[in-house]
Amino acid sequence: MSYRILNWMFGWDYVQWKNCVTSGVSRVHLDGMGRAFYWRYKSIGVADRIHKPEEVLWLTCSPDKYFEAERVDGVQS
């Protein structure tokens, strides 16, 4: 639940992710091209790009905050 406090204090957004081995909560970042990603395992440098909003559970915001720009431009990557 500390992600809610960090969202309130700094405005950072968080997602919950899951794979076949483990799961976790990670902060959403934007790369240089404005695409959303999160660090799955930051200690070893494994990042995952969020291709579709359905891939993760959005905990502190709507996925439209990160995917609205792609819909406006008409480009879906």
Side-chain angles (χ1 to χ4, degrees), residues 56-68:
V56 294
L57 177 63
W58 296 83
L59 299 173
T60 57
C61 72
S62 168
D64 292 339
K65 180 176 179 179
Y66 293 94
F67 289 92
E68 188 65 30

Side-chain angles (χ1 to χ4, degrees), residues 2-17 23-31 35-42 46-50 56-61 65-66:
S2 64
Y3 62 86
R4 291 198 186 273
I5 294 169
L6 293 170
N7 174 260
W8 178 76
M9 289 177 64
F10 302 110
W12 297 339
D13 296 315
Y14 289 85
V15 294
Q16 183 177 17
W17 56 270
S23 64
V25 174
S26 296
R27 181 178 160 201
V28 179
H29 298 273
L30 293 176
D31 65 9
R35 299 175 297 194
F37 74 95
Y38 62 91
W39 289 103
R40 184 175 4 144
Y41 304 114
K42 193 169 186 175
V46 177
D48 285 330
R49 181 167 166 234
I50 304 171
V56 294
L57 177 63
W58 296 83
L59 299 173
T60 57
C61 72
K65 180 176 179 179
Y66 293 94

Side-chain angles (χ1 to χ4, degrees), residues 33-36 49-53 66-77:
M33 297 178 66
R35 299 175 297 194
R49 181 167 166 234
I50 304 171
H51 296 281
K52 296 184 241 175
Y66 293 94
F67 289 92
E68 188 65 30
E70 292 180 7
R71 289 192 200 119
V72 171
D73 294 339
V75 177
Q76 192 73 23
S77 51

